[in-house]
Each structure stands twice: as structure tokens, then as C-alpha cells.
Amino acid sequence: MRKMLAVLPLVFVVALMVGCAKPPQDQINAAQASLDAAKPLASEYAPDSLRAAEDAKAALDAELKAQEAKFALFRSYKKTDELVSDLKAKSEKAAADGKAGEEQAKNDATTAINDATTAVTDAKAQLEKAPKGKGTAADLEAMKADLAAAESTINDANTAMSGGKYKDAKAKAEAAKASASNVVSQIQAAMEAKKAGAHPAAAGHKKH
């Protein structure tokens, strides 16, 4: 009886150690949920922040694996707690950075579409003033077609904008603006050629 009483404290301590040697699963699940929630926006608009969070997740997984490989009595999840906190913090940062990046991309796309619309409008006005004469008809028609295509591209940019594809919308708007700028450059070249006494058609149409 005395022997049993003597070992009871030891049994209690061992049981306590085994009971405590468990990973903080609820906190791990919460941190993982934060990472999963951050991915959609962060992968698009904050890849560096997402990479930092995924590195933190990899460090956590490695630590969990290391502890699981140990005998139960020797497991410790003190470092795991720190890694879980790090993962959660970096996941939340990735989410915030992704949201901010999305907002910036939206603003950039809006500006690009407005700039492209203005550029096409200005180019159409310039086209009305383009030198006209023998040999210019084909060039003028080609430039009209370029501006019509640019307007169509702006419509595509607006569609992408409505769908939340801000980077795509910006790229399309910038392409439309470049096309309009190309037309304006050709018109100016034709005007300068006319002033210099050369035939307007010498400037020629250049497909952008």
C-alpha cells in the first residue's frame, strides 16, 4: 500500500505531462483559417506578404512534425505556440496587404480607363483635322479603324473592371491609350510633312 502511495505522485506527473504534450490544435486551426482567407486577394495583390505567411506555415508544419517524432513525454509545444502566433500575424498582414493592393489596383484601373477614354476622344478630334488629299484616304480609314478598335478595347476594360479583374482592365486601357497615341503621332507627322511641303501620305499609316 505504501509503495502504491509512493508512486501515485509520479503517475500523476506523468499523466499531466502526457496531457499537456498536445499541439494547440484550436489555435493552429484558427491560424490556418486566417491563411486560407488571405490567399484569394493576397495571391493576386500581395504575393510577397502571402509568401511570408506560407513560409511561417512551413515552419509550423516542420515543428509539429519534429515534435510528433519524439516520445510523448519529451514533446514540447512552447515553440509551436510561437510559430502559430507568427503564422496568424503574417496571414492577417497578407490579408490586409491584399485588400490594400486590390484597392490600389482598382484605382489604377479607373485612372487608366479614364486616360484611355480621353486619349481616344482627343485622337478622334485630331483625326478630323488631319491633312486630306490624294493618297490619304486609306491612311485615314486605317486610323479610324485603329480608334474604333481602341474604343472596343476600352469597353473590354470596363467589362473586366466590372468583373473585379482590375489588372486586366488596366492592361487593356493602357493598350487602348497607346493605340490612340499612335494615331495622334501619325496625324502630327502628316501635319508636319504638309507644312514642309511633302505629300501628306508620306507620313503613312503605322499599325500600332
Side-chain angles (χ1 to χ4, degrees):
M1 186 66 180
R2 287 183 177 179
K3 289 183 178 180
M4 289 183 63
L5 291 173
V7 299
L8 276 176
L10 178 60
V11 172
F12 176 75
V13 170
V14 170
L16 183 63
M17 290 176 68
V18 173
C20 291
K22 293 180 180 178
Q25 198 57 52
D26 289 345
Q27 292 88 336
I28 293 172
N29 292 342
Q32 179 65 55
S34 295
L35 177 59
D36 292 342
K39 281 184 178 179
L41 281 184
S43 61
E44 179 74 11
Y45 300 109
D48 290 342
S49 296
L50 178 59
R51 192 174 304 111
E54 289 177 332
D55 288 346
K57 176 66 168 55
L60 172 60
D61 289 344
E63 175 62 15
L64 287 171
K65 188 175 181 180
Q67 294 304 323
E68 288 171 2
K70 295 179 181 178
F71 184 66
L73 291 178
F74 298 107
R75 291 173 188 166
S76 171
Y77 289 98
K78 183 177 180 181
K79 184 178 179 182
T80 300
D81 290 336
E82 296 173 0
L83 293 173
V84 169
S85 296
D86 186 50
L87 170 59
K88 194 166 191 307
K90 288 178 176 173
S91 295
E92 290 173 350
K93 183 179 186 304
D97 290 350
K99 185 67 178 175
E102 181 191 39
E103 189 63 25
Q104 183 62 53
K106 183 178 181 180
N107 292 336
D108 291 346
T110 300
T111 299
I113 289 174
N114 290 338
D115 289 348
T117 302
T118 299
V120 170
T121 300
D122 291 346
K124 291 171 76 172
Q126 285 283 313
L127 189 58
E128 293 296 320
K129 302 173 184 176
K132 298 177 179 60
K134 186 177 180 181
T136 63
D139 289 336
L140 293 173
E141 287 302 316
M143 285 187 278
K144 286 181 182 177
D146 284 350
L147 292 180
E151 287 182 312
S152 178
T153 302
I154 291 174
N155 289 336
D156 292 341
N158 280 314
T159 299
M161 188 80 179
S162 299
K165 299 177 180 178
Y166 304 128
K167 288 185 177 180
D168 186 34
K170 182 186 176 187
K172 291 182 185 302
E174 289 177 341
K177 182 182 178 181
S179 183
S181 298
N182 183 50
V183 168
V184 170
S185 296
Q186 292 176 65
I187 295 169
Q188 291 175 343
M191 288 177 169
E192 291 172 3
K194 185 179 180 180
K195 286 181 181 178
H199 194 284
H205 171 259
K206 297 177 182 177
K207 185 72 175 177
H208 182 67

